[in-house]
Structure formats: C-alpha cells, structure tokens
Amino acid sequence: MEIAADDLHLGHTLESGQAFRWARLGEGDYEGVIGGSVARATQRNGMVVLRGASEAVLRRYFQLDADLAAVVRSFPDDPNMRQAAAFCRGLRLLRQEPWETLASFICSSSKQIVQIRQIVAHLCRELGEPVQKESACISITPKRLPFERYTCNVQTAEHATPGPVAFESEVRHAFPSVSAVARATEARLRGCKLGFRAKYLLAAARMIESDRMRLDAISGMEYLRAVEELTKLPGVGPKIADCALLFAWGRQEAFPMDVWIERALRRLYFRGQPRVTRRELVEFARSYFGPYAGYAQQYLFHYVRRHPHVFGARSFAVLGR
DNA sequence: AGCCAGGCTAAGA
DNA sequence: TCTTAGCATGGC
C-alpha cells in the first residue's frame, strides 16, 4: 500500500513542544506512547519507519496525508518566515488525543518544556494504565528530499526494512483517562509535581467526567465558539485552548500566543515596541499568517526556541529595548 | 542567587 | 475593559 506524503522530520516534529510523550533514544530514534500502544519512530538518511498502534492510527497521528509543501507555500513571504520554514523543514503538526492534549497543556502553564514532560511522565506512571505493544509499521521512503513529494510504503512489521525493533522491557503507561484523573485527589496530583495546576486539572477532569463539559461537541463548533467553550474549563485560558485546538482538534487557524511567540512577533514585526498589546498581536497574527496560522506559529516557535541567543528573554531585554 | 518558564485566576482600577 | 499579584516547582 502506498500513500502520498510530504517531508517528515522526526526531530522537529516530536521535539517542538507539541507532544510530551516522546523520548529520544538516539539520533533520529524515538519511542513514545500513542493512545494505548507503545510506538517507535526512526529516521535514517531521510527514511522514516513508524511502528506501533495500527496503520490508521499512525497515519492520523502523524497527519501523513497533510500537504506540507502547500502549507509552507501559504506562509507570508517575509524574511522571518522564510528562515523559519527553512530551519523547520519537515516539521509536521500532530493530531493527538483531545483529553491528553488538553490535560498536558493545563499542566504546562508557566512551566518549561522539560518540566512539562516530567509532570506528564509522573501522571502516566501514577494514574495511567499499562500499555501493549502492537505491530503495525509504516516505512516511508522518500524519492527525493527535501520537499519533493514521495511515496510512503506501509508494511507489516515482519517486512519492515530496518531490522526488528526490540522494545525495552520496562513497562509503559498510557496517559490517564478522564475518570482516572477525576477519581484522584489533589494531593495525589501535587505528588506529580503539578503545583498550583493540580486543582485546575482535577476540576477540569471532573467537569468532563460529569458531562458538564462535552469534549466531543468541540469538533462541530466554529473556532471562536470552541475557544469560548474550552476556556470554561478551569486552568484553560486562550493560549491553552489554542494549543488543544491546534494539536488535537486540527484547527489550523488557532495561534497559541505564548511568551516566546509574543517576544518574537514584537521583535520581528513590531520593532520591539513594548506597548503593542497582546490583543493587537493576536489580531495581527490571525490576519497576517493566513489559513495555516497555526502551522506558522509552530514553525516560528520552534525556530526561536532553537535560537535562544537571539530570541531569549535576556537578550530580548537588551536587543529589543 | 536570582530570573524565568508554551498562563490562568481573581481582585482592583 | 485593562493591569497585576499570586500561584508551585525547578532549570539554568
């Protein structure tokens, strides 16, 4: 079976702060958990092999049908976006599970990415079910890189090109279900290092568990309506609602405005003017970056995060004045 | 040691 | 409606 796909860079995709459950085992070699399955993703010489879960789950999770070249073509043609697009070549937005994404980002507020990963790991070990290994495998062999279209061969695990992958024997855990979190105590969550976010996560889980919040209704809503709905959850403001809508619901018009993106926009598009309000930045972003604003955001975010000497808080205080 | 982190909430102007 | 302290915890 063959499917059309565009470029895919595992490092940029899995280490750009959209997912927190992937561990890098080596160069271009990652292990993670998707739903109830252990997954392994490997990239060598441009060839990508995805294993675990089922073929359908892998294709959906990695959004293999998305046309990355078209996304990048839609970006505004300015020097900043050209640089970001060149640096982030192959970065693909994932399609993750809504509750896991929402909960993870409730844990994310005012935390560094390293710490978010630790918190999520604690939650999974503490409250998540042990997961199974499954045997689906997708092997992606590019005809030409980068950015040319290539075909994607889906094979069974036995016929996968790079030899068998032995999963470590250590037990993995799924992300805890809504009810598992809802049944927990605040103290238990604080034990997972959530700090003041513990009460938010607990209350959010209980709202969803009791059906006072229906996540399955979100996909049928207009973007602004969906934001309005999600922000009814405790600990969920506009930024976290945008993250969930972008990384789980596939709403590519969502533009999460975090401190890094805010600094970057000020610096790159407003000459560092400190009195441009957040609201104005949000308006600018939505009108300027086009239909794939969410993609543009992720590219800019990853680009500036990997150039902290230019875009970090301290240098901004000096350079951006 | 001190500043900052993929923010949100509630209180006060 | 806009601004700001407070909130836990830990990396650098």
Side-chain angles (χ1 to χ4, degrees):
Chain A
M1 175 175 179
E2 294 196 339
I3 56 177
D6 286 300
D7 209 353
L8 168 58
H9 188 288
L10 288 181
H12 292 330
T13 300
L14 299 176
E15 297 194 81
S16 55
Q18 53 173 329
F20 305 106
R21 297 226 58 198
W22 291 88
R24 191 176 63 175
L25 305 180
E27 183 64 29
D29 187 14
Y30 296 84
E31 187 191 284
V33 178
I34 303 176
S37 317
V38 180
R40 181 88 173 248
T42 312
Q43 182 158 40
R44 286 196 324 224
N45 303 324
M47 189 178 73
V48 179
V49 178
L50 309 174
R51 297 158 195 262
S54 68
E55 176 197 321
V57 166
L58 289 173
R59 286 179 58 165
R60 179 180 165 83
Y61 184 89
F62 284 94
Q63 293 286 285
L64 294 180
D65 297 321
D67 186 351
L68 255 200
V71 168
V72 172
R73 276 199 305 275
S74 82
F75 290 163
D77 188 23
D78 70 50
N80 309 316
M81 283 312 294
R82 278 198 293 275
Q83 277 193 282
F87 179 78
C88 298
R89 184 159 289 183
L91 199 172
R92 202 168 269 271
L93 287 180
L94 299 170
R95 183 86 175 236
Q96 303 176 69
E97 200 280 320
W99 160 246
E100 172 172 347
T101 310
L102 203 43
S104 298
F105 278 96
I106 287 176
C107 300
S108 80
S109 70
S110 195
K111 272 291 177 198
Q112 298 181 150
I113 290 180
V114 205
Q115 297 180 36
I116 303 168
R117 308 172 73 96
Q118 291 170 0
I119 291 173
V120 170
H122 275 123
L123 279 175
C124 293
R125 205 176 322 127
E126 198 64 28
L127 300 168
E129 297 293 325
V131 298
Q132 325 260 338
K133 296 176 269 185
E134 293 176 38
S135 57
C137 178
I138 297 181
S139 170
I140 305 172
T141 310
K143 286 174 178 165
R144 288 168 300 188
L145 277 177
F147 265 172
E148 302 297 328
R149 299 188 71 80
Y150 56 89
T151 59
C152 179
N153 302 310
V154 179
Q155 310 172 328
T156 60
E158 310 88 76
H159 301 113
T161 332
V165 176
F167 291 118
E168 308 296 328
S169 53
E170 190 188 335
V171 178
R172 300 330 193 249
H173 294 270
F175 191 88
S177 64
V178 173
S179 43
V181 175
R183 287 194 306 266
T185 62
E186 185 180 326
R188 187 104 184 264
L189 297 181
R190 281 180 182 265
C192 296
K193 306 302 178 187
L194 269 78
F196 61 83
R197 305 156 196 80
K199 67 173 74 68
Y200 296 151
L201 182 62
L202 185 58
R206 289 181 176 169
M207 272 184 72
I208 296 165
E209 175 71 1
S210 67
D211 259 12
R212 301 195 315 272
M213 166 64 60
R214 294 178 48 90
L215 294 187
D216 54 9
I218 297 296
S219 46
M221 296 177 183
E222 293 291 325
Y223 166 70
L224 287 178
R225 175 79 184 89
V227 171
E228 181 187 356
E229 189 65 14
L230 286 177
T231 50
K232 290 177 182 169
L233 288 167
V236 178
K239 189 271 177 182
I240 287 174
D242 272 343
C243 285
L245 287 169
L246 186 59
F247 302 139
W249 275 279
R251 294 302 184 86
Q252 298 176 326
E253 67 267 47
F255 193 97
M257 188 71 73
D258 77 310
V259 290
W260 285 83
I261 280 293
E262 187 177 343
R263 277 198 300 260
L265 293 185
R266 281 221 167 82
R267 182 155 163 65
L268 297 175
Y269 296 100
F270 293 89
R271 299 186 312 178
Q273 298 172 32
R275 81 161 111 75
V276 179
T277 67
R278 239 191 151 91
R279 182 69 192 166
E280 291 172 301
L281 290 176
V282 170
E283 281 309 309
F284 165 76
R286 215 170 304 293
S287 63
Y288 184 72
F289 290 105
Y292 294 109
Y295 252 105
Q297 187 277 351
Q298 191 63 13
Y299 273 52
L300 267 180
F301 176 78
H302 186 55
Y303 176 66
V304 303
R305 285 305 307 260
R306 292 300 172 90
H307 297 81
H309 52 289
V310 183
F311 296 99
R314 286 182 182 79
S315 52
F316 177 76
V318 179
L319 297 173
R321 181 273 275 277

